[in-house]
Amino acid sequence: MRTVLITGVGGSGRTTVAAATALATARSGQRTLLLSTDRAGALDEVFHPAGPAPAAEPTAETAPAPWSPPTELAPRLWVARIATPEYFRSELASVQERARSVLDYLGASAVAAEEATELPGADAFALMATLRAVHQAADRAAAARAAGGPPRGWDVLVVDLPPAPEAIRLLGLPEQLGRYLRRLLPAERQASRALHPMLAQLAGVPVPAQRLYETFGRWQEDLAAVRQIIESDAVTVRLVAEPGPLAARALRAARAGLALHGCRVDAVIANRLLPVGSADPWLAAASGQQQAALKELREACGRGPAAPEHGAAAETTGGGPAGIPVPGIPVREVPHAGRDPRGLADLGPLADAVGPVDARPDRPAAEPWTVEDRLADEGLLVWRLPLDGAERDDLSLVRRGDELVVTVGEFRRVLPLPSALRRCTVAGAGLHEGALRVRFAPDPRLWPRDH
């Protein structure tokens, strides 16, 4: 399922751009679902200036929590919201039921649904669960259509995410949580579940029940499924910013964080652009400052041919393999409407400026990290990590066993080393042409010897 994640600088009009993107995609003939994490009613103001949204009609696409029943607001355009409170209460009740024996032993009483209040971070878990639920519903609908059923489901999902720093952490959450679960409940501990009843009788205390292990297993399965969705070629990110003094820097940091987690940026939306050439001194000055920031933004997103690695040519912003032209990130300009858009009539011109979502194959993305074999010439293996937008001063590397901890600004990821690199020592690293190249030298104690 083609999926576009909308994020960017806080206060830049992400929700409006997400709505315009969904509307443009629906008008292009694709059945589109706009999924919002907004609780402040911004989406209601965009689509329904005269009152609340119409009630949703039960359809085959309607799903239970963690998301609300989708509402069709325009031809081929549906809108739904993440139902975090309902999801949190449902998951809490499930965990308490599966851990009942341990709770009874400790003398703890369960939290009733009526008194349960969602905890910080519940939005992130609800969003991950919703992504999987929507994709599962779309897959079922596609199978039904292929069997001759009526047109249901969606072709495109547009997700209105929080600001970039929070969104990037959220996109990295499935991998991080999966890693924590594997550390807390390793495979060998799960394999000993058959001994738990006997151990419980001998020790006189309850051990985690089979249903609790099943819960951990379900969580791991859900996290793996969400990772598979995020890592698909059909999932891209659009960054929204209102050009200003700090916009280019904020977007550069966002691009680096997204690249660290393997997410692909398909466009940058320069929103709320003021008209140029005004006779009014105040408007002319504001527009001039904005155009200067827009130029800086374009330069930060644009790329030319990557220079040969050992040549003397200047480095470019991003990069691919040496000597291969790499296209830049397109910057789409959205003019200022003069007021906050309200209703489909106001969204129309913005939808024309943003444009519809393009088609992309729903398949696993190619592995972005590649190992270059330079053993013959330099006696090294080089691990190439694309980090578009990263700057040297923001980078930090730590080797920890068979893992490499990479920190880019405020974002961090733990990368498992390829098998060949686990038998090497780190010989150095450098940032060139938008890629971090980590050099590894074979460890004589571990590297196979030539006979």
Side-chain angles (χ1 to χ4, degrees):
M1 182 182 187
R2 182 70 171 97
T3 301
V4 176
L5 311 175
I6 308 291
T7 184
V9 181
S12 59
R14 301 182 319 279
T15 298
T16 301
V17 169
T21 301
L23 179 60
T25 305
R27 287 180 173 179
S28 72
Q30 303 179 79
R31 294 170 64 88
T32 305
L33 174 65
L34 172 60
L35 184 64
S36 176
T37 60
D38 175 65
R39 297 196 192 189
L43 211 55
D44 289 337
E45 290 297 318
V46 171
F47 281 112
H48 306 286
E57 296 182 2
T59 65
E61 293 88 8
T62 299
W67 53 311
S68 66
T71 302
E72 187 171 7
L73 300 182
R76 297 177 297 276
L77 174 60
W78 285 261
V79 176
R81 290 173 180 78
I82 295 175
T84 301
E86 293 83 351
Y87 171 77
F88 178 80
R89 287 192 288 267
S90 173
E91 287 296 301
L92 178 62
S94 175
V95 171
Q96 289 183 143
E97 176 63 27
R98 294 175 183 271
R100 182 175 297 277
S101 61
V102 176
L103 294 176
D104 290 342
Y105 175 78
L106 297 175
S109 58
V111 179
E114 296 77 12
E115 60 178 320
T117 302
E118 62 196 84
L119 299 176
D123 286 325
F125 291 95
L127 176 58
M128 289 189 294
T130 304
L131 280 176
R132 188 183 187 195
V134 171
H135 277 257
Q136 288 176 329
D139 290 341
R140 290 193 298 268
R145 292 199 305 268
R152 296 188 183 278
W154 307 281
D155 305 308
V156 177
L157 172 64
V158 179
V159 185
D160 174 26
L161 288 181
E166 183 180 350
I168 294 169
R169 293 189 184 94
L170 190 152
L171 294 174
L173 194 58
E175 180 181 78
Q176 293 176 5
L177 288 178
R179 182 172 179 270
Y180 294 156
L181 284 178
R182 289 191 297 271
R183 293 283 294 273
L184 293 173
L185 199 65
E188 56 270 18
R189 183 174 299 177
Q190 298 186 49
S192 66
R193 286 180 293 180
L195 301 176
H196 286 176
M198 181 179 64
L199 294 175
Q201 293 180 358
L202 293 175
V205 297
V207 294
Q210 173 72 17
R211 296 182 65 188
L212 191 57
Y213 280 100
E214 292 174 355
T215 299
F216 278 100
R218 180 171 62 86
W219 286 349
Q220 290 178 320
E221 179 183 343
D222 291 344
L223 291 171
V226 175
R227 279 194 64 188
Q228 184 177 3
I229 292 172
I230 294 174
E231 294 173 357
S232 168
D233 261 341
V235 178
T236 57
V237 180
R238 289 191 177 181
L239 294 172
V240 184
E242 183 176 352
L246 301 179
R249 181 182 303 175
L251 289 186
R252 184 181 291 111
R255 284 163 42 214
L258 290 168
L260 178 64
H261 290 288
C263 300
R264 294 153 296 282
V265 178
D266 69 359
V268 170
I269 309 298
N271 197 25
R272 298 172 182 159
L273 292 178
L274 299 172
V276 297
S278 173
D280 180 85
W282 182 90
L283 183 58
S287 175
Q289 182 184 43
Q290 198 176 59
Q291 288 297 313
L294 179 61
K295 179 181 178 182
E296 181 183 359
L297 184 62
R298 284 186 172 280
E299 292 174 350
C301 294
R303 306 184 194 133
E309 183 175 348
H310 297 292
E315 294 180 4
T316 56
T317 306
I324 298 179
V326 183
I329 301 173
V331 178
R332 300 181 182 176
E333 301 179 13
V334 179
H336 202 299
R339 56 190 174 90
D340 292 334
R342 304 191 67 185
L344 294 176
D346 285 354
L347 273 181
L350 301 182
D352 294 337
V354 171
V357 173
D358 61 334
R360 293 183 181 230
D362 191 356
R363 63 190 180 191
E367 177 63 49
W369 326 120
T370 57
V371 178
E372 301 174 14
D373 187 348
R374 299 183 184 174
L375 291 174
D377 298 332
E378 305 175 26
L380 296 172
L381 294 174
V382 180
W383 199 17
R384 184 180 182 277
L385 312 177
L387 292 178
D388 183 26
E391 297 181 342
R392 290 179 177 84
D393 293 341
D394 296 331
L395 282 172
S396 172
L397 298 176
V398 176
R399 169 79 180 267
R400 185 183 180 278
D402 292 338
E403 298 174 326
L404 187 67
V405 182
V406 184
T407 303
V408 183
E410 57 182 306
F411 309 112
R412 175 175 294 175
R413 187 179 182 185
V414 180
L415 298 172
L417 292 174
S419 58
L421 301 184
R422 296 175 186 176
R423 296 172 290 165
C424 302
T425 58
V426 177
L431 184 65
H432 304 285
E433 301 168 0
L436 175 65
R437 290 173 168 81
V438 187
R439 300 183 296 277
F440 289 83
D443 189 336
R445 298 170 299 175
L446 304 175
W447 198 260
R449 298 179 180 179
D450 295 331
H451 296 285

